[in-house]
Amino acid sequence: MPTQTAAQRRAAAKQAYNAYIAACPSRQLLATLGDKWVALVLVALGSGGARYADLARHIAGVSQKMLTQTLRVLERDGLVRRKVTAAVPVRVDYALTPLGRSLLPVVAKIKSWAETHMDRVLLARAEHDAKRPAQ
Amino acid sequence: MPTQTAAQRRAAAKQAYNAYIAACPSRQLLATLGDKWVALVLVALGSGGARYADLARHIAGVSQKMLTQTLRVLERDGLVRRKVTAAVPVRVDYALTPLGRSLLPVVAKIKSWAETHMDRVLLARAEHDAKRPAQ
DNA sequence: CGGCATCCAATGTGATACTG
DNA sequence: CAGTATCACATTGGATGCCG
């Protein structure tokens, strides 16, 4: 008889599961893509390299913090390359790596499904909400 | 000359941008897919319908709350159908709708890329981290 | 120009206990 | 069995100010 039973066993199971799920490649990718700005940055860089300020302007609503953070994550993952040119005002260019470019078709697939079916989803959502207006 | 300038203009721009980005179908889909459990539930239901407890067991680490919440969202979006059978212990079955099934290839595409390239990402990540161990 | 550090509000996630 | 409700905690995102 263990001093702690159900709670402990569940905790252990969760640990094991978290380790498992953390190791799942798909979940890792989804965790990355799901980040609010990753896809935007990927697409913005898809048409070629860009400077930091270009990205900030092109993606508009993004805060400095999130743009920097997103770029750092993508760089860390080998999806984006960061090139610093030492000049009087420093110049920093970002570009997709081959690995990053290989991800573009996936994003395109997502975009394609979204453009084809998202109206159905929004319709379903509206109908569902209509049944519970005071929710 | 407005009494408030830069801060206000930025706020307005952000509002406009947020409206724009909220309307972007791809972002909406990514926001959904990016949810921690959505993809898992989708895949779990891909092989046919399942009862609530089946899902809870199959997806293991998920909490009751998150499973229910995820299922509600998917139902609201018309991706999952919920069928209640009135019995002495109530029986609830979940299944993908045609719309939900149409999303499976997209998830498969993501999974495929992840399984093919994720090791490269992890390698890049490890190399990157090796340069800043005390980070 | 291209960041980083700090603080703060909002949201997401989960444990736990209770219900028809 | 299949939830709902509440509380606590971790993470996220943004505003702001400073720096090389």
Side-chain angles (χ1 to χ4, degrees), chain A residues 28-29 31-33 35 38 42 70-81 97 99-100 103, chain B residues 113 117-129:
Chain A
Q28 296 173 333
L29 180 57
T32 301
L33 279 184
D35 271 353
V38 166
L42 247 36
T70 301
L71 288 168
R72 287 290 177 280
V73 169
L74 293 178
E75 190 195 0
R76 175 169 178 254
D77 287 357
L79 299 173
V80 159
R81 197 172 44 90
T97 63
L99 190 60
L103 192 51
Chain B
W113 191 95
H117 301 288
M118 210 61 197
D119 54 342
R120 305 262 294 157
V121 170
L122 294 179
L123 183 62
R125 207 176 277 184
E127 284 178 3
H128 185 91
D129 289 352

PDB file of all heavy atoms in Angstrom, chain A residues 28-29 31-33 35 38 42 70-81 97 99-100 103, chain B residues 113 117-129:
ATOM      1  N   GLN A  28       5.282  18.975 -31.989  1.00  0.00           N
ATOM      2  CA  GLN A  28       6.312  20.008 -31.946  1.00  0.00           C
ATOM      3  C   GLN A  28       6.114  20.997 -33.076  1.00  0.00           C
ATOM      4  O   GLN A  28       6.206  22.210 -32.881  1.00  0.00           O
ATOM      5  CB  GLN A  28       7.694  19.356 -32.051  1.00  0.00           C
ATOM      6  CG  GLN A  28       8.008  18.460 -30.869  1.00  0.00           C
ATOM      7  CD  GLN A  28       9.304  17.697 -31.077  1.00  0.00           C
ATOM      8  OE1 GLN A  28       9.715  17.437 -32.195  1.00  0.00           O
ATOM      9  NE2 GLN A  28       9.949  17.334 -29.987  1.00  0.00           N
ATOM     10  N   LEU A  29       5.846  20.455 -34.256  1.00  0.00           N
ATOM     11  CA  LEU A  29       5.651  21.334 -35.398  1.00  0.00           C
ATOM     12  C   LEU A  29       4.414  22.195 -35.201  1.00  0.00           C
ATOM     13  O   LEU A  29       4.430  23.400 -35.466  1.00  0.00           O
ATOM     14  CB  LEU A  29       5.511  20.513 -36.678  1.00  0.00           C
ATOM     15  CG  LEU A  29       5.289  21.336 -37.949  1.00  0.00           C
ATOM     16  CD1 LEU A  29       6.411  22.336 -38.151  1.00  0.00           C
ATOM     17  CD2 LEU A  29       5.162  20.440 -39.162  1.00  0.00           C
ATOM     18  N   ALA A  31       3.072  23.066 -32.445  1.00  0.00           N
ATOM     19  CA  ALA A  31       3.338  24.049 -31.402  1.00  0.00           C
ATOM     20  C   ALA A  31       4.057  25.250 -31.992  1.00  0.00           C
ATOM     21  O   ALA A  31       3.791  26.392 -31.627  1.00  0.00           O
ATOM     22  CB  ALA A  31       4.161  23.421 -30.285  1.00  0.00           C
ATOM     23  N   THR A  32       4.960  24.981 -32.928  1.00  0.00           N
ATOM     24  CA  THR A  32       5.684  26.075 -33.566  1.00  0.00           C
ATOM     25  C   THR A  32       4.769  26.859 -34.500  1.00  0.00           C
ATOM     26  O   THR A  32       4.647  28.076 -34.391  1.00  0.00           O
ATOM     27  CB  THR A  32       6.882  25.521 -34.357  1.00  0.00           C
ATOM     28  OG1 THR A  32       7.738  24.825 -33.459  1.00  0.00           O
ATOM     29  CG2 THR A  32       7.643  26.646 -35.028  1.00  0.00           C
ATOM     30  N   LEU A  33       4.125  26.149 -35.407  1.00  0.00           N
ATOM     31  CA  LEU A  33       3.265  26.820 -36.386  1.00  0.00           C
ATOM     32  C   LEU A  33       2.120  27.561 -35.712  1.00  0.00           C
ATOM     33  O   LEU A  33       1.655  28.578 -36.209  1.00  0.00           O
ATOM     34  CB  LEU A  33       2.693  25.796 -37.362  1.00  0.00           C
ATOM     35  CG  LEU A  33       3.590  25.346 -38.501  1.00  0.00           C
ATOM     36  CD1 LEU A  33       2.837  24.399 -39.421  1.00  0.00           C
ATOM     37  CD2 LEU A  33       4.101  26.535 -39.280  1.00  0.00           C
ATOM     38  N   ASP A  35       2.166  29.175 -33.073  1.00  0.00           N
ATOM     39  CA  ASP A  35       2.553  30.461 -32.513  1.00  0.00           C
ATOM     40  C   ASP A  35       1.999  31.573 -33.373  1.00  0.00           C
ATOM     41  O   ASP A  35       2.016  31.512 -34.601  1.00  0.00           O
ATOM     42  CB  ASP A  35       4.082  30.563 -32.435  1.00  0.00           C
ATOM     43  CG  ASP A  35       4.604  30.010 -31.122  1.00  0.00           C
ATOM     44  OD1 ASP A  35       3.786  29.681 -30.258  1.00  0.00           O
ATOM     45  OD2 ASP A  35       5.836  29.905 -30.985  1.00  0.00           O
ATOM     46  N   VAL A  38       4.415  33.024 -36.302  1.00  0.00           N
ATOM     47  CA  VAL A  38       5.346  32.213 -37.074  1.00  0.00           C
ATOM     48  C   VAL A  38       4.938  32.107 -38.534  1.00  0.00           C
ATOM     49  O   VAL A  38       5.739  32.371 -39.442  1.00  0.00           O
ATOM     50  CB  VAL A  38       5.480  30.808 -36.452  1.00  0.00           C
ATOM     51  CG1 VAL A  38       6.167  29.856 -37.405  1.00  0.00           C
ATOM     52  CG2 VAL A  38       6.261  30.899 -35.152  1.00  0.00           C
ATOM     53  N   LEU A  42       6.957  33.416 -41.800  1.00  0.00           N
ATOM     54  CA  LEU A  42       7.349  32.456 -42.833  1.00  0.00           C
ATOM     55  C   LEU A  42       6.881  32.917 -44.204  1.00  0.00           C
ATOM     56  O   LEU A  42       7.649  32.930 -45.178  1.00  0.00           O
ATOM     57  CB  LEU A  42       6.729  31.086 -42.498  1.00  0.00           C
ATOM     58  CG  LEU A  42       7.668  29.940 -42.120  1.00  0.00           C
ATOM     59  CD1 LEU A  42       8.856  30.424 -41.313  1.00  0.00           C
ATOM     60  CD2 LEU A  42       6.905  28.872 -41.369  1.00  0.00           C
ATOM     61  N   THR A  70       9.930  35.700 -32.310  1.00  0.00           N
ATOM     62  CA  THR A  70       9.575  34.744 -33.366  1.00  0.00           C
ATOM     63  C   THR A  70      10.778  34.450 -34.239  1.00  0.00           C
ATOM     64  O   THR A  70      11.075  33.284 -34.550  1.00  0.00           O
ATOM     65  CB  THR A  70       8.427  35.314 -34.216  1.00  0.00           C
ATOM     66  OG1 THR A  70       7.306  35.574 -33.373  1.00  0.00           O
ATOM     67  CG2 THR A  70       8.028  34.346 -35.301  1.00  0.00           C
ATOM     68  N   LEU A  71      11.484  35.504 -34.634  1.00  0.00           N
ATOM     69  CA  LEU A  71      12.652  35.320 -35.489  1.00  0.00           C
ATOM     70  C   LEU A  71      13.715  34.491 -34.784  1.00  0.00           C
ATOM     71  O   LEU A  71      14.363  33.641 -35.390  1.00  0.00           O
ATOM     72  CB  LEU A  71      13.217  36.690 -35.888  1.00  0.00           C
ATOM     73  CG  LEU A  71      12.361  37.454 -36.900  1.00  0.00           C
ATOM     74  CD1 LEU A  71      12.812  38.894 -37.010  1.00  0.00           C
ATOM     75  CD2 LEU A  71      12.415  36.773 -38.259  1.00  0.00           C
ATOM     76  N   ARG A  72      13.875  34.714 -33.480  1.00  0.00           N
ATOM     77  CA  ARG A  72      14.872  33.955 -32.730  1.00  0.00           C
ATOM     78  C   ARG A  72      14.522  32.473 -32.708  1.00  0.00           C
ATOM     79  O   ARG A  72      15.374  31.612 -32.892  1.00  0.00           O
ATOM     80  CB  ARG A  72      14.951  34.476 -31.292  1.00  0.00           C
ATOM     81  CG  ARG A  72      15.614  35.799 -31.131  1.00  0.00           C
ATOM     82  CD  ARG A  72      17.106  35.740 -31.394  1.00  0.00           C
ATOM     83  NE  ARG A  72      17.673  37.076 -31.281  1.00  0.00           N
ATOM     84  CZ  ARG A  72      17.604  37.987 -32.229  1.00  0.00           C
ATOM     85  NH1 ARG A  72      17.025  37.722 -33.383  1.00  0.00           N
ATOM     86  NH2 ARG A  72      18.143  39.169 -32.045  1.00  0.00           N
ATOM     87  N   VAL A  73      13.250  32.194 -32.490  1.00  0.00           N
ATOM     88  CA  VAL A  73      12.815  30.798 -32.460  1.00  0.00           C
ATOM     89  C   VAL A  73      13.057  30.135 -33.811  1.00  0.00           C
ATOM     90  O   VAL A  73      13.592  29.021 -33.891  1.00  0.00           O
ATOM     91  CB  VAL A  73      11.316  30.709 -32.071  1.00  0.00           C
ATOM     92  CG1 VAL A  73      10.781  29.309 -32.302  1.00  0.00           C
ATOM     93  CG2 VAL A  73      11.138  31.108 -30.614  1.00  0.00           C
ATOM     94  N   LEU A  74      12.680  30.834 -34.865  1.00  0.00           N
ATOM     95  CA  LEU A  74      12.832  30.271 -36.203  1.00  0.00           C
ATOM     96  C   LEU A  74      14.304  30.091 -36.553  1.00  0.00           C
ATOM     97  O   LEU A  74      14.686  29.128 -37.220  1.00  0.00           O
ATOM     98  CB  LEU A  74      12.151  31.179 -37.232  1.00  0.00           C
ATOM     99  CG  LEU A  74      10.629  31.240 -37.109  1.00  0.00           C
ATOM    100  CD1 LEU A  74      10.040  32.191 -38.130  1.00  0.00           C
ATOM    101  CD2 LEU A  74      10.016  29.857 -37.252  1.00  0.00           C
ATOM    102  N   GLU A  75      15.124  31.029 -36.081  1.00  0.00           N
ATOM    103  CA  GLU A  75      16.556  30.905 -36.330  1.00  0.00           C
ATOM    104  C   GLU A  75      17.115  29.704 -35.579  1.00  0.00           C
ATOM    105  O   GLU A  75      17.881  28.907 -36.116  1.00  0.00           O
ATOM    106  CB  GLU A  75      17.263  32.185 -35.874  1.00  0.00           C
ATOM    107  CG  GLU A  75      18.714  32.256 -36.294  1.00  0.00           C
ATOM    108  CD  GLU A  75      19.452  33.329 -35.517  1.00  0.00           C
ATOM    109  OE1 GLU A  75      18.824  33.999 -34.662  1.00  0.00           O
ATOM    110  OE2 GLU A  75      20.668  33.481 -35.740  1.00  0.00           O
ATOM    111  N   ARG A  76      16.675  29.577 -34.348  1.00  0.00           N
ATOM    112  CA  ARG A  76      17.123  28.460 -33.513  1.00  0.00           C
ATOM    113  C   ARG A  76      16.744  27.133 -34.150  1.00  0.00           C
ATOM    114  O   ARG A  76      17.491  26.151 -34.067  1.00  0.00           O
ATOM    115  CB  ARG A  76      16.475  28.601 -32.130  1.00  0.00           C
ATOM    116  CG  ARG A  76      16.743  27.469 -31.178  1.00  0.00           C
ATOM    117  CD  ARG A  76      16.289  27.827 -29.767  1.00  0.00           C
ATOM    118  NE  ARG A  76      16.497  26.733 -28.849  1.00  0.00           N
ATOM    119  CZ  ARG A  76      15.515  25.962 -28.375  1.00  0.00           C
ATOM    120  NH1 ARG A  76      14.266  26.157 -28.741  1.00  0.00           N
ATOM    121  NH2 ARG A  76      15.789  24.979 -27.536  1.00  0.00           N
ATOM    122  N   ASP A  77      15.574  27.099 -34.782  1.00  0.00           N
ATOM    123  CA  ASP A  77      15.106  25.859 -35.387  1.00  0.00           C
ATOM    124  C   ASP A  77      15.685  25.628 -36.779  1.00  0.00           C
ATOM    125  O   ASP A  77      15.318  24.657 -37.441  1.00  0.00           O
ATOM    126  CB  ASP A  77      13.577  25.870 -35.473  1.00  0.00           C
ATOM    127  CG  ASP A  77      12.937  25.690 -34.107  1.00  0.00           C
ATOM    128  OD1 ASP A  77      13.682  25.498 -33.128  1.00  0.00           O
ATOM    129  OD2 ASP A  77      11.701  25.737 -34.016  1.00  0.00           O
ATOM    130  N   GLY A  78      16.538  26.531 -37.206  1.00  0.00           N
ATOM    131  CA  GLY A  78      17.172  26.343 -38.504  1.00  0.00           C
ATOM    132  C   GLY A  78      16.247  26.621 -39.673  1.00  0.00           C
ATOM    133  O   GLY A  78      16.485  26.154 -40.783  1.00  0.00           O
ATOM    134  N   LEU A  79      15.196  27.368 -39.437  1.00  0.00           N
ATOM    135  CA  LEU A  79      14.255  27.671 -40.514  1.00  0.00           C
ATOM    136  C   LEU A  79      14.552  29.025 -41.139  1.00  0.00           C
ATOM    137  O   LEU A  79      14.167  29.289 -42.274  1.00  0.00           O
ATOM    138  CB  LEU A  79      12.820  27.659 -39.970  1.00  0.00           C
ATOM    139  CG  LEU A  79      12.369  26.323 -39.375  1.00  0.00           C
ATOM    140  CD1 LEU A  79      11.012  26.473 -38.724  1.00  0.00           C
ATOM    141  CD2 LEU A  79      12.333  25.250 -40.444  1.00  0.00           C
ATOM    142  N   VAL A  80      15.236  29.861 -40.370  1.00  0.00           N
ATOM    143  CA  VAL A  80      15.522  31.216 -40.833  1.00  0.00           C
ATOM    144  C   VAL A  80      16.997  31.511 -40.572  1.00  0.00           C
ATOM    145  O   VAL A  80      17.559  31.069 -39.577  1.00  0.00           O
ATOM    146  CB  VAL A  80      14.628  32.235 -40.083  1.00  0.00           C
ATOM    147  CG1 VAL A  80      15.216  33.626 -40.139  1.00  0.00           C
ATOM    148  CG2 VAL A  80      13.219  32.226 -40.657  1.00  0.00           C
ATOM    149  N   ARG A  81      17.598  32.241 -41.499  1.00  0.00           N
ATOM    150  CA  ARG A  81      18.993  32.621 -41.328  1.00  0.00           C
ATOM    151  C   ARG A  81      19.064  34.123 -41.081  1.00  0.00           C
ATOM    152  O   ARG A  81      18.378  34.905 -41.734  1.00  0.00           O
ATOM    153  CB  ARG A  81      19.795  32.263 -42.574  1.00  0.00           C
ATOM    154  CG  ARG A  81      21.293  32.240 -42.371  1.00  0.00           C
ATOM    155  CD  ARG A  81      21.956  31.685 -43.618  1.00  0.00           C
ATOM    156  NE  ARG A  81      21.330  32.277 -44.810  1.00  0.00           N
ATOM    157  CZ  ARG A  81      21.745  33.408 -45.394  1.00  0.00           C
ATOM    158  NH1 ARG A  81      22.791  34.041 -44.911  1.00  0.00           N
ATOM    159  NH2 ARG A  81      21.137  33.888 -46.454  1.00  0.00           N
ATOM    160  N   THR A  97      15.942  29.482 -44.733  1.00  0.00           N
ATOM    161  CA  THR A  97      16.898  28.456 -45.114  1.00  0.00           C
ATOM    162  C   THR A  97      16.175  27.474 -46.031  1.00  0.00           C
ATOM    163  O   THR A  97      14.954  27.531 -46.158  1.00  0.00           O
ATOM    164  CB  THR A  97      17.390  27.709 -43.878  1.00  0.00           C
ATOM    165  OG1 THR A  97      16.277  27.040 -43.288  1.00  0.00           O
ATOM    166  CG2 THR A  97      17.994  28.649 -42.864  1.00  0.00           C
ATOM    167  N   LEU A  99      15.553  24.505 -45.406  1.00  0.00           N
ATOM    168  CA  LEU A  99      14.603  23.824 -44.523  1.00  0.00           C
ATOM    169  C   LEU A  99      13.348  24.666 -44.325  1.00  0.00           C
ATOM    170  O   LEU A  99      12.224  24.158 -44.371  1.00  0.00           O
ATOM    171  CB  LEU A  99      15.286  23.551 -43.175  1.00  0.00           C
ATOM    172  CG  LEU A  99      14.542  22.653 -42.198  1.00  0.00           C
ATOM    173  CD1 LEU A  99      14.303  21.277 -42.789  1.00  0.00           C
ATOM    174  CD2 LEU A  99      15.320  22.535 -40.890  1.00  0.00           C
ATOM    175  N   GLY A 100      13.558  25.938 -44.128  1.00  0.00           N
ATOM    176  CA  GLY A 100      12.420  26.836 -43.967  1.00  0.00           C
ATOM    177  C   GLY A 100      11.558  26.892 -45.218  1.00  0.00           C
ATOM    178  O   GLY A 100      10.327  26.905 -45.130  1.00  0.00           O
ATOM    179  N   LEU A 103       9.108  24.187 -45.760  1.00  0.00           N
ATOM    180  CA  LEU A 103       7.895  24.248 -44.937  1.00  0.00           C
ATOM    181  C   LEU A 103       6.799  25.047 -45.634  1.00  0.00           C
ATOM    182  O   LEU A 103       5.615  24.923 -45.289  1.00  0.00           O
ATOM    183  CB  LEU A 103       8.245  24.875 -43.585  1.00  0.00           C
ATOM    184  CG  LEU A 103       7.229  24.788 -42.451  1.00  0.00           C
ATOM    185  CD1 LEU A 103       6.761  23.364 -42.245  1.00  0.00           C
ATOM    186  CD2 LEU A 103       7.842  25.322 -41.165  1.00  0.00           C
TER     187      LEU A 103
ATOM    188  N   TRP B 113       5.549  16.281 -42.937  1.00  0.00           N
ATOM    189  CA  TRP B 113       6.701  17.184 -42.888  1.00  0.00           C
ATOM    190  C   TRP B 113       7.439  17.017 -41.571  1.00  0.00           C
ATOM    191  O   TRP B 113       8.671  16.956 -41.527  1.00  0.00           O
ATOM    192  CB  TRP B 113       6.251  18.632 -43.054  1.00  0.00           C
ATOM    193  CG  TRP B 113       7.402  19.574 -43.267  1.00  0.00           C
ATOM    194  CD1 TRP B 113       7.883  20.015 -44.457  1.00  0.00           C
ATOM    195  CD2 TRP B 113       8.233  20.159 -42.259  1.00  0.00           C
ATOM    196  NE1 TRP B 113       8.955  20.831 -44.257  1.00  0.00           N
ATOM    197  CE2 TRP B 113       9.204  20.951 -42.923  1.00  0.00           C
ATOM    198  CE3 TRP B 113       8.277  20.099 -40.867  1.00  0.00           C
ATOM    199  CZ2 TRP B 113      10.181  21.667 -42.233  1.00  0.00           C
ATOM    200  CZ3 TRP B 113       9.260  20.811 -40.185  1.00  0.00           C
ATOM    201  CH2 TRP B 113      10.191  21.580 -40.869  1.00  0.00           C
ATOM    202  N   HIS B 117      11.306  16.150 -41.439  1.00  0.00           N
ATOM    203  CA  HIS B 117      12.272  17.228 -41.227  1.00  0.00           C
ATOM    204  C   HIS B 117      12.519  17.592 -39.773  1.00  0.00           C
ATOM    205  O   HIS B 117      13.429  18.353 -39.490  1.00  0.00           O
ATOM    206  CB  HIS B 117      11.807  18.482 -41.978  1.00  0.00           C
ATOM    207  CG  HIS B 117      11.654  18.292 -43.445  1.00  0.00           C
ATOM    208  ND1 HIS B 117      12.720  18.159 -44.299  1.00  0.00           N
ATOM    209  CD2 HIS B 117      10.550  18.182 -44.233  1.00  0.00           C
ATOM    210  CE1 HIS B 117      12.284  17.999 -45.545  1.00  0.00           C
ATOM    211  NE2 HIS B 117      10.969  18.007 -45.526  1.00  0.00           N
ATOM    212  N   MET B 118      11.699  17.046 -38.884  1.00  0.00           N
ATOM    213  CA  MET B 118      11.785  17.537 -37.517  1.00  0.00           C
ATOM    214  C   MET B 118      13.127  17.229 -36.878  1.00  0.00           C
ATOM    215  O   MET B 118      13.596  17.979 -36.015  1.00  0.00           O
ATOM    216  CB  MET B 118      10.642  16.952 -36.689  1.00  0.00           C
ATOM    217  CG  MET B 118      10.195  17.865 -35.568  1.00  0.00           C
ATOM    218  SD  MET B 118       9.584  19.469 -36.167  1.00  0.00           S
ATOM    219  CE  MET B 118       9.652  20.432 -34.657  1.00  0.00           C
ATOM    220  N   ASP B 119      13.752  16.138 -37.325  1.00  0.00           N
ATOM    221  CA  ASP B 119      15.064  15.821 -36.756  1.00  0.00           C
ATOM    222  C   ASP B 119      16.082  16.901 -37.124  1.00  0.00           C
ATOM    223  O   ASP B 119      16.956  17.238 -36.327  1.00  0.00           O
ATOM    224  CB  ASP B 119      15.531  14.435 -37.224  1.00  0.00           C
ATOM    225  CG  ASP B 119      15.505  14.316 -38.738  1.00  0.00           C
ATOM    226  OD1 ASP B 119      14.827  15.136 -39.388  1.00  0.00           O
ATOM    227  OD2 ASP B 119      16.166  13.410 -39.270  1.00  0.00           O
ATOM    228  N   ARG B 120      15.930  17.449 -38.328  1.00  0.00           N
ATOM    229  CA  ARG B 120      16.811  18.551 -38.735  1.00  0.00           C
ATOM    230  C   ARG B 120      16.585  19.755 -37.823  1.00  0.00           C
ATOM    231  O   ARG B 120      17.536  20.439 -37.432  1.00  0.00           O
ATOM    232  CB  ARG B 120      16.510  18.958 -40.180  1.00  0.00           C
ATOM    233  CG  ARG B 120      16.596  17.820 -41.172  1.00  0.00           C
ATOM    234  CD  ARG B 120      17.897  17.780 -41.877  1.00  0.00           C
ATOM    235  NE  ARG B 120      18.100  18.936 -42.734  1.00  0.00           N
ATOM    236  CZ  ARG B 120      19.296  19.364 -43.119  1.00  0.00           C
ATOM    237  NH1 ARG B 120      20.375  18.728 -42.723  1.00  0.00           N
ATOM    238  NH2 ARG B 120      19.407  20.419 -43.896  1.00  0.00           N
ATOM    239  N   VAL B 121      15.339  20.015 -37.540  1.00  0.00           N
ATOM    240  CA  VAL B 121      15.018  21.145 -36.671  1.00  0.00           C
ATOM    241  C   VAL B 121      15.634  20.927 -35.294  1.00  0.00           C
ATOM    242  O   VAL B 121      16.256  21.823 -34.726  1.00  0.00           O
ATOM    243  CB  VAL B 121      13.494  21.318 -36.561  1.00  0.00           C
ATOM    244  CG1 VAL B 121      13.150  22.316 -35.473  1.00  0.00           C
ATOM    245  CG2 VAL B 121      12.910  21.761 -37.892  1.00  0.00           C
ATOM    246  N   LEU B 122      15.450  19.721 -34.778  1.00  0.00           N
ATOM    247  CA  LEU B 122      15.968  19.439 -33.440  1.00  0.00           C
ATOM    248  C   LEU B 122      17.487  19.528 -33.426  1.00  0.00           C
ATOM    249  O   LEU B 122      18.084  19.998 -32.454  1.00  0.00           O
ATOM    250  CB  LEU B 122      15.512  18.047 -32.988  1.00  0.00           C
ATOM    251  CG  LEU B 122      14.000  17.927 -32.790  1.00  0.00           C
ATOM    252  CD1 LEU B 122      13.631  16.527 -32.365  1.00  0.00           C
ATOM    253  CD2 LEU B 122      13.511  18.946 -31.773  1.00  0.00           C
ATOM    254  N   LEU B 123      18.105  19.093 -34.522  1.00  0.00           N
ATOM    255  CA  LEU B 123      19.560  19.183 -34.625  1.00  0.00           C
ATOM    256  C   LEU B 123      19.992  20.642 -34.615  1.00  0.00           C
ATOM    257  O   LEU B 123      20.894  21.034 -33.860  1.00  0.00           O
ATOM    258  CB  LEU B 123      20.022  18.496 -35.923  1.00  0.00           C
ATOM    259  CG  LEU B 123      21.530  18.447 -36.141  1.00  0.00           C
ATOM    260  CD1 LEU B 123      22.192  17.650 -35.021  1.00  0.00           C
ATOM    261  CD2 LEU B 123      21.861  17.833 -37.500  1.00  0.00           C
ATOM    262  N   ALA B 124      19.340  21.436 -35.445  1.00  0.00           N
ATOM    263  CA  ALA B 124      19.659  22.864 -35.493  1.00  0.00           C
ATOM    264  C   ALA B 124      19.475  23.488 -34.118  1.00  0.00           C
ATOM    265  O   ALA B 124      20.290  24.298 -33.672  1.00  0.00           O
ATOM    266  CB  ALA B 124      18.763  23.557 -36.522  1.00  0.00           C
ATOM    267  N   ARG B 125      18.431  23.080 -33.461  1.00  0.00           N
ATOM    268  CA  ARG B 125      18.136  23.624 -32.135  1.00  0.00           C
ATOM    269  C   ARG B 125      19.254  23.271 -31.165  1.00  0.00           C
ATOM    270  O   ARG B 125      19.736  24.124 -30.413  1.00  0.00           O
ATOM    271  CB  ARG B 125      16.816  23.019 -31.658  1.00  0.00           C
ATOM    272  CG  ARG B 125      16.068  23.875 -30.701  1.00  0.00           C
ATOM    273  CD  ARG B 125      14.736  23.235 -30.352  1.00  0.00           C
ATOM    274  NE  ARG B 125      13.679  23.502 -31.323  1.00  0.00           N
ATOM    275  CZ  ARG B 125      12.418  23.103 -31.170  1.00  0.00           C
ATOM    276  NH1 ARG B 125      12.084  22.383 -30.101  1.00  0.00           N
ATOM    277  NH2 ARG B 125      11.508  23.404 -32.068  1.00  0.00           N
ATOM    278  N   ALA B 126      19.677  22.024 -31.209  1.00  0.00           N
ATOM    279  CA  ALA B 126      20.732  21.570 -30.305  1.00  0.00           C
ATOM    280  C   ALA B 126      22.037  22.301 -30.586  1.00  0.00           C
ATOM    281  O   ALA B 126      22.724  22.754 -29.666  1.00  0.00           O
ATOM    282  CB  ALA B 126      20.914  20.056 -30.456  1.00  0.00           C
ATOM    283  N   GLU B 127      22.350  22.449 -31.889  1.00  0.00           N
ATOM    284  CA  GLU B 127      23.586  23.151 -32.247  1.00  0.00           C
ATOM    285  C   GLU B 127      23.529  24.597 -31.783  1.00  0.00           C
ATOM    286  O   GLU B 127      24.493  25.132 -31.260  1.00  0.00           O
ATOM    287  CB  GLU B 127      23.791  23.100 -33.762  1.00  0.00           C
ATOM    288  CG  GLU B 127      24.270  21.742 -34.262  1.00  0.00           C
ATOM    289  CD  GLU B 127      24.401  21.745 -35.785  1.00  0.00           C
ATOM    290  OE1 GLU B 127      24.166  22.811 -36.403  1.00  0.00           O
ATOM    291  OE2 GLU B 127      24.720  20.669 -36.340  1.00  0.00           O
ATOM    292  N   HIS B 128      22.391  25.186 -32.009  1.00  0.00           N
ATOM    293  CA  HIS B 128      22.221  26.579 -31.608  1.00  0.00           C
ATOM    294  C   HIS B 128      22.390  26.733 -30.098  1.00  0.00           C
ATOM    295  O   HIS B 128      23.059  27.645 -29.626  1.00  0.00           O
ATOM    296  CB  HIS B 128      20.845  27.064 -32.046  1.00  0.00           C
ATOM    297  CG  HIS B 128      20.607  28.508 -31.805  1.00  0.00           C
ATOM    298  ND1 HIS B 128      20.893  29.474 -32.739  1.00  0.00           N
ATOM    299  CD2 HIS B 128      20.129  29.176 -30.732  1.00  0.00           C
ATOM    300  CE1 HIS B 128      20.604  30.654 -32.256  1.00  0.00           C
ATOM    301  NE2 HIS B 128      20.123  30.516 -31.037  1.00  0.00           N
ATOM    302  N   ASP B 129      21.779  25.829 -29.371  1.00  0.00           N
ATOM    303  CA  ASP B 129      21.849  25.908 -27.916  1.00  0.00           C
ATOM    304  C   ASP B 129      23.262  25.638 -27.415  1.00  0.00           C
ATOM    305  O   ASP B 129      23.680  26.175 -26.394  1.00  0.00           O
ATOM    306  CB  ASP B 129      20.881  24.896 -27.291  1.00  0.00           C
ATOM    307  CG  ASP B 129      19.436  25.321 -27.492  1.00  0.00           C
ATOM    308  OD1 ASP B 129      19.215  26.443 -27.976  1.00  0.00           O
ATOM    309  OD2 ASP B 129      18.539  24.528 -27.178  1.00  0.00           O
TER     310      ASP B 129
END
